[in-house]
Amino acid sequence: MDFFQVFIELAQSTVRLSTPLILAALAGLFTERAGVFDIGLEGKMLGAAFAAGCVAYISQSVMMGLFAAVLVSVLLSLVHGYASITQRGSQIVSGVAINFVVAGSTVILGEAWFRQGGRTPALTEDGRFGRITLPFADAVREVPILGPLYSGLLSGHSPLTYLAFLMVPASWWILYRTRFGLRLRAVGENPGAVDTAGISVIWLRYRAVICCGILCGIAGAYLSLAANAGFTKGMTAGKGYIALAALIFAKWRPKNILFACLLFGFLDAFAIRYQGYAFPLIGRVPVQFMQALPYILTVILLAGFIGKAIPPKAGGVPYVKER
């Protein structure tokens, strides 16, 4: 197999594996720009994936599965919002609690409902997102270089993959070119000034939390309705934490989030492709090391190459209105 074909296959895997990371990182972007630190991305994705798998199997409708995923994720986000915004509790504790509760409840409910070890039954074609073939993809497939790039890399992905990449410029436009985005960024930097202007800090932060829930719901639905044919126990496998790391690595900027998630997706794709491969001068690398490689490199990149990442000034701090 020539180098170009290997490149196309690695790039395809990178795009697929980075899709939930992009959606989850953008979800965290909205909340953290509003001053709400959300470590519960993992739990919301997992809960959404479980809801999508269950409802899509029962209804045999992929859109009903997507709707259920978004609904469950938004509800979990509102729980986090109530604990950290309304009750001014610890945002870290609230997020970790969501992760633990969802990780346990999905297994218990899955086993109780379907008796398949915490899994949902395999979905049919009607219960999953199919792949979109772009115009003329088959016609140009044999064209050197451009054909494989267009028909193999750009075409043939899930609708949610294209949505994830479109959400990057959309998020930039919302945050930097709309009144809502301006107020959202302001409430993450100086909520007192926003409150003085007569704008509700609480309502703005709740809207950011709802945006986070919608994006996490789509990310979870992608895992069980597009990347897989149903829900499996712990299928997020730390993707929420990697998305949070990508958000910090990107310094809370949408464009940088895209490249950071593609980097982490590539590391994951590389580790999957070369499990058990005998490298020159090194030999066969243990499978366990290759499986841990994306997480190891995530820590290394954050520790040594990120530089100084300055979060929003009011991030993680409950807002108390001055009297």
Side-chain angles (χ1 to χ4, degrees):
M1 185 178 295
D2 60 6
F3 172 79
F4 186 69
Q5 183 64 29
V6 172
F7 167 77
I8 292 296
E9 292 181 0
L10 268 178
Q12 286 175 334
S13 298
T14 297
V15 169
R16 290 194 296 268
L17 292 169
S18 64
T19 296
L21 300 180
I22 293 171
L23 290 166
L26 291 175
L29 175 67
F30 278 94
T31 56
E32 297 203 14
R33 277 292 190 177
V36 180
F37 188 76
D38 193 353
I39 202 172
L41 300 175
E42 177 85 1
K44 287 193 278 288
M45 288 175 64
L46 187 62
F50 178 73
C54 291
V55 174
Y57 171 73
I58 295 170
S59 66
Q60 294 297 307
S61 169
V62 67
M63 295 309 298
M64 288 299 294
L66 177 62
F67 175 76
V70 172
L71 178 62
V72 168
S73 181
V74 169
L75 290 176
L76 290 171
S77 290
L78 290 175
V79 170
H80 178 62
Y82 178 76
S84 59
I85 300 173
T86 304
Q87 298 299 322
R88 305 190 189 97
S90 170
Q91 297 173 6
I92 301 295
V93 172
S94 174
V96 171
I98 288 175
N99 291 341
F100 284 147
V101 170
V102 173
S105 60
T106 51
V107 176
I108 293 172
L109 292 176
E111 176 63 22
W113 292 345
F114 302 108
R115 302 294 180 184
Q116 295 189 12
R119 302 181 51 169
T120 60
L123 298 175
T124 63
E125 291 297 323
D126 292 334
R128 297 186 62 198
F129 283 103
R131 296 184 178 184
I132 294 179
T133 301
L134 297 180
F136 310 111
D138 294 330
V140 302
R141 188 178 301 275
E142 301 303 325
V143 177
I145 300 180
L146 293 180
L149 283 174
Y150 181 74
S151 62
L153 179 57
L154 298 181
S155 179
H157 295 287
S158 162
L160 299 185
T161 297
Y162 296 108
L163 176 63
F165 281 84
L166 288 174
M167 281 304 303
V168 175
S171 297
W172 176 87
W173 184 79
I174 291 171
L175 287 173
Y176 293 96
R177 290 293 183 269
T178 66
R179 181 181 299 177
F180 168 70
L182 173 63
R183 291 176 174 178
L184 195 72
R185 288 183 291 121
V187 85
E189 297 291 339
N190 192 341
V194 175
D195 191 36
T196 302
I199 301 169
S200 173
V201 173
I202 303 299
W203 174 229
L204 265 175
R205 288 187 168 177
Y206 264 107
R207 288 162 73 184
V209 163
I210 292 172
C211 291
C212 173
I214 294 172
L215 291 172
C216 276
I218 298 173
Y222 173 83
L223 293 175
S224 58
L225 302 183
N228 298 278
F231 175 83
T232 58
K233 181 173 64 175
M235 71 184 312
T236 48
K239 288 181 174 61
Y241 299 112
I242 293 180
L244 188 61
L247 176 62
I248 298 170
F249 184 69
K251 300 182 179 179
W252 296 272
R253 292 183 176 90
K255 179 183 71 175
N256 295 350
I257 285 175
L258 173 62
F259 295 117
C261 290
L262 286 173
L263 173 61
F264 291 129
F266 170 76
L267 296 175
D268 202 4
F270 182 86
I272 293 172
R273 180 177 180 84
Y274 290 102
Q275 286 183 15
Y277 182 80
F279 291 93
L281 303 178
I282 299 175
R284 194 175 301 277
V285 178
V287 174
Q288 294 81 0
F289 176 80
M290 296 301 292
Q291 290 174 339
L293 183 62
Y295 306 97
I296 295 172
L297 293 179
T298 298
V299 175
I300 294 174
L301 289 172
L302 286 177
F305 296 94
I306 187 176
K308 188 175 183 181
I310 303 175
K313 294 180 181 178
V317 180
Y319 178 66
V320 180
K321 187 173 182 178
E322 296 182 1
R323 298 183 181 277

